[in-house]
Amino acid sequence: MPNRWFRHKADEFEQFAIDVIMGRREGTLAALFGAFLQLCSYLFSGIVQLRLWLYRNRILRDQPLGCLVVVVGNLTVGGTGKTPVVEMFAKALRDRGRKVAILSRGYKSKAPPLWQKWWFWLNHTAEPPPRIVSDGAKVLLDSEVAGDEPFMLARNLPGVVVLVDKNRVKAGAFAIKEFGCDTLVLDDGFQYLPLKGRLNLLLVDKTNPFGNGFLLPRGILREPVKHLQRASYVFLTKSKGVRDEELEAMIAKFNPTAEIIECAHKPQYLQRIDTGERLPLTALAGRRVGALSGIAAPESFEAFLRETGAKLVYTRRFLDHYRFTHEDLGDVFSEAEEAGVEIMVTTEKDAVRIEAGEKFPMPCYYLRLEIEILRGAADFQEAVGKICFPRGEPAIASNPPV
């Protein structure tokens, strides 16, 4: 009980901080906390700028690995819909004959025990190898150890290696040596400078491109907006098909040569968590539906459900990457029953954090999303061809030396 109380209080404080950053809180306490965060963001900005300057002037050096490196990332924290883009890119590259490895830091994954780190340090032995989420043939780790996104990617991408390690230079070298990979996709790698990408794909959420314009922790920016200049291509995500000329002008101001590809996250189907049964989206029309989420931008998810014609009578939002307990789910489904919910729907990313074997008092599905290109290419295959295989480059590359 004490642990649950402390966890609840920590979550309350984190939600308060997020509300201040997003401008949802008013009052003296919110204003004082916002001022404190703004001072911290100036310090953070200085550190970010110094780090980039050190790499730009070759005082700190990146380490090339001799193969195609595709970086997929963003300037902000959370909510750009990056995972489906990574998945589609890896799938398209795999289908064109590439041996692909996805390298992830495994955000919110279960870290190795402290004693293990000390053991390697005391014995002056090499660091442990990266965690192998998938060897391309089967998934080897669960979502708690691997992290939500790496596990989801591994499950959806047979034939693609998925590795987790904070040191992605080490992970990339491991992928080349142990699995013969010739293409590395850095998941959330725009700020990872030790391994330089040949292609930097920057995702910008059209519904909230740069937040309030401040860097962390006062805003959602990881680095200044002017660093759009480092992108090879800019993907405008979560588009409704209407051009935002002001946003495109800002991108062109800082990066006049970057090509813009506009895309939407399109719901595909519903998949039942306990049985794997699939339903078309039309199954929600007119039904009393509940929405359960622990993601950075739940508004988009809930909007998708309303667009199907569902009657959204209950919503429950947790913090991003929140790992649901049995007690949490008991509370959620109890409240949902009281609200008259017929079908509970969650996101695919949240579904991997629900323990296998969990019993539900009502059908519980996750919503499967995929990327659809709206502008900049005829479809995703053409986009990949244009970006990764320019000027008729052959689909299958020889393995680089290690």
Side-chain angles (χ1 to χ4, degrees):
M1 186 65 72
N3 286 342
R4 194 177 182 193
W5 183 86
F6 282 118
R7 185 183 183 190
H8 176 68
K9 290 299 178 184
D11 289 344
E12 277 188 349
F13 177 75
E14 187 172 345
Q15 188 60 60
F16 170 76
I18 291 170
D19 288 345
V20 170
I21 292 167
M22 296 298 190
R24 302 177 191 140
R25 293 281 183 127
E26 296 180 353
T28 304
L29 183 60
L32 289 172
F33 189 62
F36 169 72
L37 292 179
Q38 189 157 337
L39 288 173
C40 294
S41 75
Y42 291 140
L43 176 62
F44 179 74
S45 177
I47 294 170
V48 168
Q49 301 273 26
L50 174 62
R51 181 169 175 263
L52 285 166
W53 182 86
L54 290 171
Y55 274 98
R56 193 180 300 120
N57 289 277
R58 310 296 293 169
I59 297 168
L60 295 178
R61 294 178 178 271
D62 56 76
Q63 301 178 52
L65 292 178
C67 67
L68 174 63
V69 177
V70 180
V71 174
V72 182
N74 43 41
L75 292 180
T76 59
V77 289
T80 59
K82 172 178 51 59
T83 303
V85 174
V86 171
E87 179 182 323
M88 293 288 280
F89 247 91
K91 182 179 179 182
L93 288 164
R94 177 202 66 189
D95 292 347
R96 286 173 177 249
R98 294 279 192 175
K99 181 65 175 175
V100 181
I102 297 174
L103 311 181
S104 174
R105 64 179 175 137
Y107 181 67
K108 292 271 182 146
S109 61
K110 190 173 182 179
L114 188 60
W115 67 263
Q116 192 178 79
K117 297 178 182 178
W118 278 100
W119 176 260
F120 282 104
W121 182 77
L122 289 170
N123 287 277
H124 303 287
T125 54
E127 290 184 54
R131 280 173 276 175
I132 305 172
V133 186
S134 171
D135 59 4
K138 58 184 177 180
V139 180
L140 302 171
L141 300 176
D142 62 19
S143 69
E144 185 175 9
V145 177
D148 307 342
E149 290 95 341
F151 175 79
M152 194 168 79
L153 290 165
R155 188 179 63 181
N156 292 338
L157 289 168
V160 173
V161 174
V162 181
L163 303 176
V164 165
D165 201 296
K166 289 183 179 179
N167 184 341
R168 279 175 270 186
V169 174
K170 179 182 77 175
F174 184 86
I176 295 168
K177 182 178 180 181
E178 299 297 326
F179 297 104
C181 294
D182 55 40
T183 304
L184 306 177
V185 179
L186 265 64
D187 178 19
D188 197 16
F190 201 71
Q191 285 74 37
Y192 189 78
L193 303 180
L195 181 55
K196 186 175 183 180
R198 193 181 92 183
L199 297 164
N200 289 318
L201 313 182
L202 183 68
L203 276 56
V204 176
D205 177 0
K206 279 192 72 173
T207 65
N208 186 27
F210 309 113
N212 58 15
F214 290 111
L215 269 70
L216 292 168
R218 183 64 184 91
I220 62 173
L221 284 169
R222 298 175 175 184
E223 51 185 296
V225 175
K226 67 181 181 181
H227 292 171
L228 282 161
Q229 63 195 6
R230 297 196 291 116
S232 311
Y233 291 82
V234 175
F235 278 68
L236 297 181
T237 65
K238 300 184 183 178
S239 173
K240 297 294 184 182
V242 179
R243 293 189 69 163
D244 186 335
E245 294 184 3
E246 186 177 340
L247 176 58
E248 291 183 31
M250 179 184 287
I251 293 169
K253 173 185 173 182
F254 295 113
N255 193 336
T257 61
E259 189 168 342
I260 294 175
I261 295 177
E262 193 160 354
C263 56
H265 289 66
K266 292 288 186 181
Q268 301 297 311
Y269 54 81
L270 299 162
Q271 182 153 327
R272 189 158 171 164
I273 292 174
D274 50 1
T275 66
E277 171 201 18
R278 290 186 181 180
L279 290 180
L281 300 175
T282 53
L284 296 181
R287 306 292 294 277
R288 294 175 65 84
V289 171
L292 167 65
S293 61
I295 55 176
E299 298 85 0
S300 297
F301 164 61
E302 292 163 12
F304 284 142
L305 298 181
R306 291 189 180 96
E307 288 166 7
T308 67
K311 297 178 182 176
L312 200 58
V313 297
Y314 173 77
T315 60
R316 183 66 185 273
R317 299 174 178 179
F318 289 83
L319 295 171
D320 193 20
H321 292 278
Y322 186 88
R323 188 157 291 278
F324 309 110
T325 65
H326 178 72
E327 291 78 11
D328 293 328
L329 294 174
D331 293 342
V332 166
F333 281 94
S334 177
E335 292 169 5
E337 283 186 299
E338 289 180 12
V341 169
E342 299 175 73
I343 298 175
M344 183 68 77
V345 183
T346 189
T347 71
E348 186 175 6
K349 194 179 293 187
D350 288 311
V352 303
R353 282 182 267 115
I354 295 176
E355 290 289 336
E358 186 73 43
K359 302 297 182 184
F360 308 109
M362 63 194 66
C364 186
Y365 293 83
Y366 69 77
L367 183 66
R368 170 67 178 174
L369 298 176
E370 290 184 4
I371 295 295
E372 180 180 308
I373 300 293
L374 302 180
R375 182 169 59 89
D379 54 28
F380 210 89
Q381 289 289 341
E382 183 183 305
V384 173
K386 185 191 323 186
I387 293 169
C388 297
F389 301 99
R391 298 181 299 279
E393 179 183 326
I396 301 177
S398 58
N399 289 344
V402 180

